[in-house]
Amino acid sequence: MFPTAIDAVHRVVNHAGRITRSWVEDNTTKGLSNSAYVELVGVVVCVLSIDEFHLCLDMSLEPLPPAQAGVITRYVPDVLRDDIGFVPMIPKEGAVGQERDLFPGGVSANVLRALSSVPQALHDWLALAAAQYLPVERMGNMVRDDARSIDRMQMELMAARVSSINECFY
Amino acid sequence: MLRVSAKTTGTRIDLKGVMGDEAAAAEGILFGRELMRLAEAAARRDLTALPAARRELLAVAGPEVLVDAAGVIANFQRMVRIADSMGIPVDNLGSSVSAEVREALPIERFASAANSGISHS
């Protein structure tokens, strides 16, 4: 892994709140394209949150899966818009064609759009959120999800405390 | 979302629990103090506080609650990094709920507030 990517992993894990557009743009001149950055973030945060789950429960961390042979798709959605954030994203109305399942139930909050330029990263987002928190389609239930042992206020208290400690305004 | 959930259920809560006030975390939220302490220890990666927080929650709420709590904490360790790494703004900054929360909590000082067009001092 080249130094720019290593630095990006470090920042995403430890200082995400200090990441700026100029830093992301500068990285593109050092070989870390916007698509590569989005994919890197998607992978890093998935691994991080699986590790954090294990840490919370005092379980040994899962070993990383072995690398598999295959072809890199380098797939990029047809329609991306540079209207918010540091990188282009699929617009709110842009989940059509091959991207039609990216915004479940039509929910296109910015945190869903964030990784959408690499659709697989958003698919991973959706799968992990459904397992650890709630499926997007059921996030509108602000009372209690039948599949969970804690109610929504209990969930959101923890979510907000984690966000606060990480100094995340979003 | 905490404020929205409390309004939806007609529950009186104290948002200061979000900033680590244990009594406030318990206001209107079952096991609120213990849940908040686990979230805090995990998010701070405080390996001294985490075992005690885990034991306390397990003792008062049981294993199912502990597992679901760990899932939520892990999920939001991911979400905050996605939001800030991508620099996305808050979706509903102009809503009354958002204004209430920003008035109650000192979150506009966070560097990432700049992503929503709020300059911090």
Side-chain angles (χ1 to χ4, degrees):
Chain A
M1 193 185 292
F2 62 98
T4 306
I6 293 172
D7 180 50
V9 172
H10 174 77
R11 289 199 190 210
V12 169
V13 172
N14 296 300
H15 306 290
R18 301 278 171 190
I19 291 174
T20 62
R21 173 183 281 275
S22 61
W23 177 79
V24 174
E25 288 176 349
D26 187 50
N27 281 343
T28 64
T29 68
K30 299 174 182 171
L32 188 64
S33 68
N34 281 334
S35 293
Y37 174 62
V38 171
E39 187 165 343
L40 178 148
V41 171
V43 170
V44 166
V45 297
C46 280
V47 173
L48 173 84
S49 71
I50 292 169
D51 284 355
E52 296 289 293
F53 179 77
H54 285 67
L55 185 68
C56 264
L57 296 178
D58 194 26
M59 296 166 63
S60 300
L61 301 186
E62 296 285 335
L64 291 173
Q68 297 181 10
V71 177
I72 301 172
T73 68
R74 303 193 189 283
Y75 175 77
V76 177
D78 288 338
V79 181
L80 294 176
R81 190 172 295 160
D82 201 357
D83 58 343
I84 60 167
F86 304 148
V87 298
M89 300 170 191
I90 293 177
K92 285 184 177 291
E93 69 283 8
V96 297
Q98 289 198 64
E99 280 66 63
R100 63 187 175 282
D101 58 346
L102 284 181
F103 298 154
V107 178
S108 57
N110 291 339
V111 74
L112 276 161
R113 292 185 61 202
L115 302 179
S116 60
S117 65
V118 178
Q120 185 57 51
L122 181 48
H123 282 300
D124 294 342
W125 182 124
L126 294 168
L128 207 43
Q132 293 183 328
Y133 175 55
L134 293 167
V136 169
E137 302 91 322
R138 303 212 300 266
M139 287 184 190
N141 179 351
M142 300 306 297
V143 181
R144 185 185 193 116
D145 188 279
D146 289 341
R148 293 289 179 258
S149 63
I150 50 180
D151 64 31
R152 196 62 185 272
M153 282 195 305
Q154 292 171 306
M155 289 178 148
E156 299 307 327
L157 172 66
M158 291 185 286
R161 187 68 189 123
V162 169
S163 299
S164 170
I165 289 170
N166 283 286
E167 299 201 346
C168 178
F169 183 75
Y170 184 85
Chain B
M1 297 289 253
L2 175 58
R3 171 61 84 194
V4 174
S5 179
K7 285 192 171 189
T8 302
T9 56
T11 307
R12 180 178 169 171
I13 61 164
D14 186 341
L15 283 177
K16 290 196 289 292
V18 172
M19 305 310 287
D21 183 316
E22 293 188 357
E27 177 83 34
I29 300 177
L30 186 62
F31 313 131
R33 173 183 170 276
E34 292 79 11
L35 292 166
M36 191 278 287
R37 289 186 67 173
L38 183 71
E40 187 169 280
R44 291 192 193 285
R45 296 176 178 154
D46 184 339
L47 299 182
T48 302
L50 187 57
R54 186 190 303 120
R55 280 195 304 273
E56 286 174 4
L57 181 60
L58 185 62
V60 299
E64 290 185 353
V65 169
L66 176 61
V67 170
D68 280 345
V72 172
I73 292 164
N75 185 72
F76 281 88
Q77 286 281 67
R78 183 173 77 261
M79 289 299 163
V80 297
R81 286 167 176 80
I82 292 171
D84 287 347
S85 297
M86 295 297 129
I88 54 172
V90 172
D91 299 81
N92 53 354
L93 194 65
S95 73
S96 59
V97 172
S98 175
E100 272 180 48
V101 172
R102 284 183 284 124
E103 187 175 320
L105 303 174
I107 59 175
E108 291 189 353
R109 66 180 170 80
F110 296 165
S112 61
N115 299 334
S116 295
I118 295 172
S119 59
H120 62 287
S121 54

